[in-house]
Amino acid sequence: MDNKVYIFDTTLRDGEQVPGCQLNTIEKIEVARQLEKLGVDVIEAGFPISSPGDFNSVVEISKAVTNPTICALTRAVKKDIEVAADALKFAKRGRIHTGIGTSPYHIKYKLNSNEDEIIERAVEAVKYAKRFVEDVEFYAEDAGRSDNEYLARVVEAVIAAGATVINIPDTTGYCLPKEYGEKIAYLVNNVPNVDKAILSTHCHNDLGMATANTLAGVTNGARQVEVTINGLGERAGNTSLEEVVMAMKSHHDLDYQTEIDTKQIMKTSRLVSTLMRMPVQANKAIVGRNAFAHSSGIHQDGVLKNRENYEIIDPADVGVKESSIVLTARSGRAALKHRLHVLGYDFEGPELDEVYNRFLDLADKKKDVADEDLEALAGTEKEKQDRSIKLETLQVISGSTTIPTATVAVSFNGDVFTETASGNGPIDAAFTAVKALVKRKVHLEEFLIQAITRGSDDLGKVHVQVEHKGQIYYGFSANVDIITASVEAFLDAISKIG
Ligand code: KIV
Ligand code: ZN
């Protein structure tokens, strides 16, 4: 059997069904373009009959995206299929995804029907969809709770009617991995024409089994997986793309191939989370904020010695720059020394011991010790490290009717130089003036302003990261004047360039 596993992304259909996650067409196109960069094989772009907005999104995504197949969902209803075909008219490769419930619950209570009639309706829907497109996927809704023998009859009939892909959804997220795997194996072994179609998994996460069930499906013969970014989807969500792809990539013994460019995973996750206004839980596998963060001393020491001591995935493989070390009361000297080095301070021996003891005192009082706390801790030592660049004066002109302009005076080893520049805003103007003064090619990588409390008269904290010749330098400052704090933080980072 071929080991290529097709990635069918349904973030824009099943994922978008989540209350509060609705996107407009422009946002959907942005997600679809990123999914194309990520390398998915199929994008399920919507359920065209459900609303004019969904119809329009399928039309526009079909125009905007070239490589992936564009899929549109329907019920086993002629009108749905006609509307889906119309929405797909601009797709280079279009697929209609039609289907009907096959579990005793759906047959009796939802459809008020019987097994034979359901097979007839399924076959009729597939044949009708085939009039419009070659590629027709059939879903047996609630297959997870359907009888395997009956499911095999349905699958055989719809393949004979021309279905190219057969989706076996665990709609209610009920199955256990062994059970779901056996269901796929049963179909592989008992449907005579199964080799004429691809079997697909579509697992929901109600019992937290979606990824395990999907992998069980693949190891038993499914060659398409239906997934969403960040595991978004109805109720507890769908199988998350990043988990399945990284599980297959990390376990070389599984030997499955996908077209996914894993380095695009984090970017895609962030885009979807931002546009859909659904924060990713901090400890979410692969894409959570803490997925590559180490907080205990033993782990931190281990990671600093060799990343693989405590990491099975290289963060760079999913587009994360590096693992992070979170400093808490459980952190050791090695982690503190490493972080201080990143911040531009190098301490050894008794000096390091002294800073470490002060760090432990503070860490006992605070949950996490932030970089600015370390700056303060290292402060007494900081003077010794003579940072020779200092902001002397700053004057800005800004407002709704004027071009923002800044005049900055900076002293270098006591000699003062002045520069004036304009920019998009006062901070941009001031940074442009600083860049002209320091005559170094620096690139601003990150810029973060935080208010310490909520009052408008309070201190603002600014963190910056600048890049110079491939190295990152960190700068920090706090000031009641946010523009002054920004320039000071920028100069702080620049002053650390050797
Ligand atoms: O979960 C499900 O059964 C579905 C089908 C409509 C494919 O999303
Ligand atoms: Zn679903």
Side-chain angles (χ1 to χ4, degrees), residues 10 13-14 17 167 169-171 202-204 226 234-235 238:
T10 183
R13 199 279 296 169
D14 225 345
Q17 285 174 210
N167 178 10
D170 183 19
T171 306
H202 178 115
C203 299
H204 280 265
E226 303 197 3
E234 290 265 355
R235 307 181 307 280
N238 287 57

Side-chain angles (χ1 to χ4, degrees), residues 294-411:
H294 304 275
S295 61
S296 81
I298 294 171
H299 286 210
Q300 291 177 340
D301 186 49
V303 165
L304 291 171
K305 283 178 175 144
N306 183 338
R307 191 189 57 72
E308 284 174 71
N309 282 334
Y310 286 101
E311 278 180 359
I312 55 161
I313 295 170
D314 183 344
D317 278 354
V318 294
V320 175
K321 260 197 191 140
E322 55 185 359
S323 330
S324 58
I325 301 280
V326 183
L327 292 175
T328 68
R330 280 165 286 129
S331 301
R333 266 182 191 66
L336 177 68
K337 184 175 172 206
H338 173 78
R339 190 68 208 157
L340 285 168
H341 174 74
V342 171
L343 294 175
Y345 305 103
D346 287 307
F347 293 112
E348 295 286 350
E351 254 186 357
L352 177 64
D353 291 344
E354 203 188 311
V355 180
Y356 183 63
N357 288 336
R358 274 189 274 146
F359 158 77
L360 285 183
D361 280 347
L362 182 68
D364 270 341
K365 293 177 198 124
K366 283 190 84 181
K367 253 200 317 203
D368 303 334
V369 179
D371 285 346
E372 60 267 33
D373 299 315
L374 292 183
E375 293 264 353
L377 280 183
T380 44
E381 310 301 326
K382 187 177 173 177
E383 279 141 38
K384 288 185 212 158
Q385 304 209 0
D386 187 20
R387 302 253 176 262
S388 54
I389 306 179
K390 207 169 140 241
L391 177 67
E392 293 295 333
T393 59
L394 168 70
Q395 201 175 38
V396 285
I397 304 168
S398 161
S400 56
T401 54
T402 174
I403 296 174
T405 308
T407 301
V408 182
V410 175
S411 65

Side-chain angles (χ1 to χ4, degrees), residues 201-266:
T201 66
H202 178 115
C203 299
H204 280 265
N205 204 29
D206 298 67
L207 293 174
M209 302 284 170
T211 297
N213 285 351
T214 298
L215 291 171
V218 171
T219 51
N220 282 284
R223 284 296 174 269
Q224 176 180 279
V225 292
E226 303 197 3
V227 289
T228 60
I229 302 297
N230 302 336
L232 277 177
E234 290 265 355
R235 307 181 307 280
N238 287 57
T239 309
S240 72
L241 179 149
E242 59 277 8
E243 292 176 14
V244 172
V245 167
M246 291 315 291
M248 291 197 289
K249 188 175 160 105
S250 310
H251 282 261
H252 303 290
D253 48 314
L254 291 179
D255 194 26
Y256 296 116
Q257 284 87 45
T258 72
E259 298 297 324
I260 296 296
D261 174 1
T262 59
K263 291 194 165 57
Q264 293 289 332
I265 283 179
M266 193 50 114

Side-chain angles (χ1 to χ4, degrees), residues 47-273:
F47 181 12
I49 192 101
S50 68
S51 72
D54 248 41
F55 179 89
N56 202 32
S57 298
V58 175
V59 172
E60 295 306 323
I61 290 170
S62 300
K63 290 183 196 162
V65 157
T66 345
N67 291 327
T69 293
I70 305 300
C71 180
L73 186 78
T74 80
R75 293 166 297 182
V77 172
K78 280 190 171 163
K79 186 73 191 156
D80 283 29
I81 294 169
E82 286 160 15
V83 173
D86 192 22
L88 287 170
K89 59 182 176 283
F90 296 106
K92 210 168 147 208
R93 277 180 293 276
R95 175 184 295 180
I96 291 179
H97 188 190
T98 191
I100 196 161
T102 54
S103 70
Y105 299 93
H106 281 225
I107 295 174
K108 188 163 174 212
Y109 301 115
K110 183 177 154 183
L111 302 160
N112 190 22
S113 185
N114 61 60
E115 289 190 345
D116 290 337
E117 199 178 276
I118 291 298
I119 295 184
E120 265 172 47
R121 286 172 65 179
V123 166
E124 209 185 319
V126 170
K127 284 190 175 158
Y128 196 61
K130 283 293 256 196
R131 290 199 200 174
F132 302 97
V133 288
E134 177 44 40
D135 192 2
V136 175
E137 173 166 342
F138 175 82
Y139 64 86
E141 195 177 4
D142 205 12
R145 292 186 300 172
S146 300
D147 170 65
N148 287 351
E149 238 176 87
Y150 174 62
L151 194 58
R153 277 175 57 209
V154 177
V155 171
E156 183 179 353
V158 293
I159 293 176
T164 45
V165 181
I166 307 296
N167 178 10
I168 307 299
D170 183 19
T171 306
T172 57
Y174 172 74
C175 288
L176 298 175
K178 185 167 176 288
E179 197 179 355
Y180 190 76
E182 282 171 359
K183 194 172 281 290
I184 299 292
Y186 185 89
L187 298 175
V188 169
N189 296 323
N190 292 281
V191 174
N193 53 0
V194 74
D195 59 317
K196 306 274 183 308
I198 291 174
L199 293 181
S200 180
T201 66
H202 178 115
C203 299
H204 280 265
N205 204 29
D206 298 67
L207 293 174
M209 302 284 170
T211 297
N213 285 351
T214 298
L215 291 171
V218 171
T219 51
N220 282 284
R223 284 296 174 269
Q224 176 180 279
V225 292
E226 303 197 3
V227 289
T228 60
I229 302 297
N230 302 336
L232 277 177
E234 290 265 355
R235 307 181 307 280
N238 287 57
T239 309
S240 72
L241 179 149
E242 59 277 8
E243 292 176 14
V244 172
V245 167
M246 291 315 291
M248 291 197 289
K249 188 175 160 105
S250 310
H251 282 261
H252 303 290
D253 48 314
L254 291 179
D255 194 26
Y256 296 116
Q257 284 87 45
T258 72
E259 298 297 324
I260 296 296
D261 174 1
T262 59
K263 291 194 165 57
Q264 293 289 332
I265 283 179
M266 193 50 114
K267 191 171 172 203
T268 316
S269 163
R270 295 241 165 104
L271 178 73
V272 167
S273 165

